[in-house]
Amino acid sequence: MRQAIPASRATAHAVPKAISDRTICGLFMAPALAILILMVAYPFISLLYYSTLNFSILNPAKGSEFIGLENYTRLLSRESVWERFVFTGQFVLATVVVQFCVGVAVAYAFQRNFRGRDLLFTIAMLPMMLCPIVVGFLWRYMFNSEWGVVNYLVTLLGFVKIDWLGVPGNALWAVVIADAWMWTPFVILLATAAFRGIPTDINEAAEIDGASPFFRFTRVTLPMSMPILLIAFLLRLIDAFKQSDLFFAMTGGGPGSDTETVAFRLGKIAFSHFYTGQASAFAVIMLVIIIGLSLIFVRLLTQQGRQD
Amino acid sequence: MARVALDHLSVRFGTVAAVDDISIAFEQGEFIVLLGPSGCGKTTTLRCIAGLEQPTSGQIFFDQDEVSHLPPRVRQVAMVFQFVSLYPHLRVRDNIAFPLRARGEGRAEIERKIAWMTKIFDLGDILHRRPGTLPPGARQKAALARAVVREPRVLLLDEPLSAIDEQFREEMRWELRHLQKELGMTTVHVTHDQREAMSLADRVVLMRAGKIVQAGTPRELFDDPVDEFAAHFIGSPSVNLIDAAFTEDGVALGEAGVPIRLPERHLEALRRSGLRRGRIGIRPHSLTPASQGDHAAVPVERPIAYSVGRERFLDFELSGQVWRGVLPADAGISLPERMHLDPARIFYFTPEGVRLPVA
């Protein structure tokens, strides 16, 4: 027993030395890394892999044939695919511009103190918290050409009823309105955060310097909010690019396939036609576009950071 | 440049009167310092002149124009704040150009004025830098340039030097003073630092609890304070104060009743007041080693002598309080046993702290 005690002490000292700091670091990170590999790296690599195969998940027995980049070339040579990109581009541009014009203006109005401001602000945040598919159906009924509330208002103003969802040009704007309704609150939220981050002294200095409200907004408020607004812009851009739920609920992609966005088409290829290989290639193309957009904004943000 | 007049100005926040019915005029080209402890209403007064705060009652005039309720941007005032007020996203030159552009001045005019400011403030090195990369002193210099460049009717300074380190602050004071004289700007400067006030002001306005305690030249405030607060707030090292009984031939200081004989005209003034007790104050520089047989002297107990630069001070205990006097620079090691009060320099106060005039 007497000899056992020093022996156990010796091991107690030896154990921490046996494991280096690096190993401990690695051990702590291992669970997170494992999850990351399982949830991100593996799906991504298998996505790349499947994109080079002629393969359908409905018919695995038929096996898969390696066809190189043929999925990509076939997709990109199809005019209907390019039309989807053009349509998605129009949608993204319209909805993001509307969201930012309205969102920044409303956020600026919320800077002023008035009775019931906080309550109104909370209410204004609500649309963003709804489920997209629910928002889609709500607006689908509101835009119904026969008995929808929108056309009711249109007739009240003395115009003829508009076929909102049956004509591609109109449907684009109908979904833009629905999407902007849902996501403008997000822009309001971030713009408000940005505006509140500007020190009072700065605003007071601008006022004393003789700046009119418009001059102050364009020369002080906006430039100083730019980093946060850029991030909001990027998030909205990516989200709008991926939009498919609203189109699914409001137009079903129709008439024909005229209001299918890229993401909508991707869903169709993957889960209606079950061309798994082609869908994978399509997903890779979308990913490249989104990463490209993100890189542009990251570059812009770091430039902003360097200026300060 | 304008004459600024405040007429019965009051600002209330809820039930608190931050500024309580003050009336005073600042002459054209005068350097005014609003001085007082924090919460005395000096900054609120300044913000009222700027238009950042609305007076609850009373009026503000720039020359003949009433500006009491005009928004800041039409008042043609300029202001330098205590901390950040430069626009962080703009280079120094664009900061200086900002008020000019806001007013829609022409490009050539703006260039000319930037060049003028660059020369006055020696901004050549920092003109193309952003405020975030500058030390606080340079930042305030740029802020001052932005304020001066628009040739305001009134220049308002809200503790602009307090965030700057000591050495650069002295330099800035000197520059500020020169600039103000050269350009003849009506300037209102807020500070709680009495040394800054004394070194800058043509006229110091001492405030307390929303009211003006005393307004006058630094010399007047130092030599002739209206009450105990003013006497205590101004002067460094600060005035020695003690309770005193007013007797037949002088005063008796503290609980020990140390007798001090006073000249007849002082006694007369004290008799006229009808008071038996009060307080007296005397500045350290009027408290010097006593000679033999001096009747206006106090005993020195537990003395500590020390030098601050060329000045020698003597701290000692008198009736439970620490008093401070001065020693001649050439005095030997042996400390005086008694210190002499210069009777002409004694301030007499009522128990409430109001100064008793001595004819």
Side-chain angles (χ1 to χ4, degrees):
Chain A
M1 276 304 281
R2 260 189 196 174
Q3 280 163 345
I5 293 166
S8 74
R9 261 193 209 147
T11 36
H13 278 286
V15 169
K17 276 181 188 164
I19 304 176
S20 70
D21 285 354
R22 272 184 80 89
T23 319
I24 289 178
C25 253
L27 281 175
F28 271 109
M29 288 199 306
L33 267 176
I35 290 172
L36 209 65
I37 288 168
L38 210 68
M39 307 296 265
V40 177
Y42 169 71
F44 180 68
I45 290 164
S46 63
L47 179 75
L48 286 176
Y49 171 65
Y50 282 122
S51 75
T52 61
L53 302 180
N54 181 4
F55 171 69
S56 171
I57 202 153
L58 267 195
N59 201 352
K62 194 182 148 205
S64 52
E65 179 198 353
F66 180 78
I67 52 168
L69 294 178
E70 205 182 309
N71 280 328
Y72 293 92
T73 52
R74 213 181 285 170
L75 275 171
L76 294 177
S77 61
R78 213 180 288 158
E79 201 177 322
S80 70
V81 170
W82 285 103
E83 281 170 3
R84 291 310 97 213
F85 276 107
V86 171
F87 179 79
T88 309
Q90 290 170 338
F91 170 74
V92 169
L93 191 71
T95 187
V96 172
V97 167
V98 170
Q99 283 171 36
F100 267 79
C101 290
V102 178
V104 168
V106 172
Y108 195 62
F110 270 123
Q111 292 307 296
R112 222 170 295 164
N113 247 325
F114 54 85
R115 263 179 81 92
R117 180 181 67 169
D118 293 349
L119 183 69
L120 202 63
F121 189 84
T122 311
I123 293 171
M125 290 301 109
L126 287 179
M128 162 168 88
M129 298 168 193
L130 296 174
C131 167
I133 208 84
V134 171
V135 171
F137 278 109
L138 279 176
W139 281 95
R140 178 186 178 158
Y141 294 129
M142 288 200 281
F143 275 122
N144 185 292
S145 58
E146 289 308 312
W147 40 265
V149 67
V150 176
N151 265 356
Y152 172 70
L153 293 174
V154 166
T155 53
L156 274 191
L157 291 173
F159 297 102
V160 289
K161 286 180 176 176
I162 298 167
D163 184 3
W164 283 106
L165 301 174
V167 179
N170 292 352
L172 172 70
W173 283 104
V175 182
V176 164
I177 290 170
D179 190 59
W181 179 80
M182 182 166 178
W183 288 112
T184 300
F186 179 80
V187 178
I188 297 174
L189 190 69
L190 265 81
T192 302
F195 294 164
R196 292 210 181 145
I198 299 173
T200 329
D201 276 3
I202 296 280
N203 279 320
E204 289 184 343
E207 221 174 309
I208 287 176
D209 279 345
S212 66
F214 179 75
F215 191 89
R216 183 151 58 102
F217 180 72
T218 53
R219 301 297 186 98
V220 178
T221 312
L222 268 191
M224 287 190 69
S225 315
M226 217 25 105
I228 294 180
L229 290 182
L230 271 179
I231 289 171
F233 195 80
L234 175 65
L235 291 176
R236 288 317 314 137
L237 202 68
I238 290 174
D239 250 14
F241 188 70
K242 294 190 303 185
Q243 182 59 270
S244 72
D245 311 9
L246 284 180
F247 286 95
F248 178 78
M250 290 175 73
T251 68
S257 54
D258 281 347
T259 60
E260 287 177 6
T261 55
V262 177
F264 192 106
R265 174 60 67 85
L266 171 61
K268 241 168 90 173
I269 298 172
F271 303 116
S272 297
H273 306 154
F274 286 100
Y275 297 150
T276 311
Q278 207 175 77
S280 301
F282 207 76
V284 170
I285 294 170
M286 272 187 77
L287 202 62
V288 166
I289 292 172
I290 289 174
I291 290 174
L293 285 175
S294 308
L295 282 179
I296 294 171
F297 278 87
V298 169
R299 177 72 55 86
L300 281 176
L301 272 175
T302 45
Q303 263 177 11
Q304 282 259 333
R306 219 171 292 137
Q307 285 172 0
D308 294 337
Chain B
M1 288 298 142
R3 176 182 191 269
V4 177
L6 311 179
D7 187 19
H8 294 286
L9 184 74
S10 288
V11 182
R12 253 173 275 283
F13 299 122
T15 55
V16 183
V19 177
D20 194 1
D21 192 30
I22 66 173
S23 297
I24 191 167
F26 309 143
E27 297 309 322
Q28 184 177 323
E30 207 176 12
F31 199 123
I32 294 288
V33 174
L34 301 181
L35 175 69
S38 57
C40 71
K42 56 191 191 299
T43 299
T44 308
T45 306
L46 190 81
R47 288 172 61 86
C48 270
I49 299 171
L52 296 171
E53 219 71 70
Q54 292 292 317
T56 315
S57 61
Q59 292 168 305
I60 301 167
F61 294 91
F62 292 175
D63 293 328
Q64 308 310 319
D65 315 326
E66 198 203 324
V67 299
S68 318
H69 295 284
L70 293 181
R73 70 189 152 88
V74 299
R75 289 198 189 190
Q76 297 172 46
V77 297
M79 185 157 165
V80 177
F81 295 78
Q82 185 174 5
F83 301 112
V84 274
S85 61
L86 289 173
Y87 309 114
H89 59 293
L90 298 178
R91 294 168 204 283
V92 167
R93 57 167 291 129
D94 292 320
N95 261 287
I96 297 171
F98 188 94
L100 307 175
R101 290 191 180 128
R103 247 190 338 206
E105 287 193 17
R107 193 172 288 245
E109 186 65 10
I110 291 174
E111 286 306 318
R112 193 185 62 75
K113 285 183 177 170
I114 290 176
W116 174 45
M117 283 299 117
T118 308
K119 197 169 145 237
I120 288 189
F121 288 100
D122 193 20
L123 296 173
D125 298 338
I126 62 167
L127 214 50
H128 295 283
R129 289 171 64 180
R130 277 171 217 281
T133 66
L134 299 174
R139 244 180 272 172
Q140 284 307 59
K141 229 169 163 178
L144 202 55
R146 186 185 65 185
V148 173
V149 74
R150 51 191 308 226
E151 298 164 80
R153 299 183 81 177
V154 189
L155 178 63
L156 305 172
L157 309 169
D158 185 8
E159 308 214 21
L161 305 180
S162 62
I164 301 175
D165 64 75
E166 182 71 29
Q167 202 180 349
F168 197 67
R169 188 157 57 205
E170 304 272 334
E171 192 187 319
M172 280 287 282
R173 262 186 221 165
W174 177 83
E175 280 197 42
L176 189 57
R177 199 68 178 108
H178 268 291
L179 188 76
Q180 193 268 342
K181 282 286 154 253
E182 240 167 78
L183 303 176
M185 295 180 292
T186 310
T187 304
V188 185
H189 180 118
V190 159
T191 183
H192 60 265
D193 179 349
Q194 57 95 16
R195 284 185 55 192
E196 188 166 303
M198 302 301 260
S199 58
L200 282 172
D202 290 323
R203 202 143 56 99
V204 176
V205 178
L206 181 64
M207 293 183 68
R208 182 195 199 184
K211 288 184 182 300
I212 294 174
V213 175
Q214 189 174 5
T217 63
R219 194 81 236 174
E220 280 168 9
L221 263 75
F222 185 82
D223 287 342
D224 204 8
V226 294
D227 63 10
E228 196 180 314
F229 170 77
H232 187 69
F233 202 85
I234 307 254
S236 146
S238 63
V239 70
N240 300 303
L241 291 162
I242 197 162
D243 288 331
F246 300 156
T247 60
E248 282 296 302
D249 59 351
V251 288
L253 303 184
E255 280 164 25
V258 178
I260 301 289
R261 291 262 288 273
L262 293 173
E264 184 53 34
R265 63 191 180 93
H266 287 227
L267 290 172
E268 206 174 303
L270 293 183
R271 276 198 291 272
R272 253 201 324 272
S273 76
L275 291 168
R276 306 289 304 274
R277 301 196 61 84
R279 287 166 71 74
I280 70 146
I282 184 147
R283 298 208 182 273
H285 288 92
S286 306
L287 199 60
T288 47
S291 49
Q292 282 286 320
D294 193 330
H295 294 300
V298 291
V300 170
E301 278 166 34
R302 304 176 65 203
I304 296 285
Y306 58 95
S307 300
V308 178
R310 296 188 54 170
E311 278 188 306
R312 287 195 75 198
F313 292 103
L314 180 73
D315 287 7
F316 60 96
E317 192 178 304
L318 178 68
S319 197
Q321 295 182 37
V322 178
W323 269 38
R324 181 166 299 159
V326 293
L327 298 175
D330 55 359
I333 313 167
S334 71
L335 298 176
E337 283 168 11
R338 288 157 64 77
M339 292 289 273
H340 167 76
L341 283 71
D342 179 357
R345 296 269 172 200
I346 298 177
F347 306 134
Y348 304 95
F349 303 108
T350 68
E352 294 76 37
V354 179
R355 174 104 178 269
L356 290 171
V358 174

